[in-house]
């Protein structure tokens, strides 16, 4: 009778256990790799959010400085460049900005017609006036490993313009 009980109660074979463990291990690998990707994307999103806030802060500082100069009737006539590093805890982020004169090219008239020449002269005068009164402010934020080549470092750029109305 004891022999009959042993024959009726069958357990799992070694092969079945190995297949189950292989399926379980594969499932864990897939789950862990997707979680790793989520962590990387979350970290990138955090870096980008911090860079955006720092860029907004720095651009506000630049605009305040330019507004003070405009109040004193100073307007940047020449190109200006500055760079630096943000303070703790954002020392991993670096910035540089430039202010330059806006220059819009004007095509020369193709015909000998006097109307085209008049329009071209008016356009040229307008573009020169824009060049005198408009400056481009370009702010570049870079973060990541300083030893990486610049093209491999994550970055963002913000461009705005300042206009002298009088």
């Amino acid at each position: 009778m004891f022999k009959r009980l042993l024959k009726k109660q069958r357990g799992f074979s070694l092969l079945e256990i190995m297949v189950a463990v292989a399926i379980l291990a594969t499932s864990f690998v897939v789950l862990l790799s997707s979680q790793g990707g989520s962590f990387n994307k979350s970290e990138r999103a955090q870096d980008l959010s911090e860079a955006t806030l720092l860029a907004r802060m720095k651009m506000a500082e630049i605009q305040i400085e330019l507004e003070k100069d405009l109040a004193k009737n100073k307007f940047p006539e020449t190109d200006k460049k500055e760079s630096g590093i943000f303070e703790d805890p954002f020392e991993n982020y670096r910035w540089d900005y430039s202010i330059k004169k806006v220059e819009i090219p004007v095509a020369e008239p193709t015909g000998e017609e006097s109307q085209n020449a008049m329009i071209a002269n008016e356009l040229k005068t307008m573009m020169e006036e824009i060049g005198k009164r408009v400056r481009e402010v370009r702010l570049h934020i870079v973060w990541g490993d300083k030893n990486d080549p610049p093209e491999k470092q994550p970055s963002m750029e913000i461009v705005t313009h300042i206009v002298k109305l009088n």
Side-chain angles (χ1 to χ4, degrees), residues 23-40:
I23 291 171
L24 190 61
T26 304
S27 304
F28 280 141
V29 168
V30 169
L31 285 172
L32 289 175
S33 66
S34 70
Q35 284 299 319
S38 293
F39 289 135
N40 287 342

Side-chain angles (χ1 to χ4, degrees), residues 49-120:
S49 293
E50 288 176 355
T52 301
L53 291 173
L54 291 169
R56 290 179 76 183
M57 181 186 73
K58 189 63 184 172
M59 185 60 82
E61 288 175 10
I62 294 167
Q63 287 177 327
I64 289 170
E65 180 183 317
L66 291 171
E67 290 293 328
K68 285 179 183 176
D69 287 346
L70 281 173
K72 295 175 186 173
N73 209 16
K74 290 182 187 175
F75 192 65
E77 292 298 325
T78 59
D79 292 346
K80 179 180 179 179
K81 293 182 179 185
E82 285 188 30
S83 62
I85 298 172
F86 289 99
E87 295 177 10
D88 278 344
F90 303 108
E91 66 277 354
N92 198 31
Y93 294 86
R94 299 165 306 281
W95 58 267
D96 62 81
Y97 79 90
S98 63
I99 301 174
K100 68 178 190 175
K101 194 175 187 177
V102 172
E103 295 181 10
I104 303 171
V106 179
E108 294 294 324
T110 55
E112 291 286 329
E113 300 175 28
S114 62
Q115 188 176 6
N116 285 345
M118 279 180 27
I119 292 172

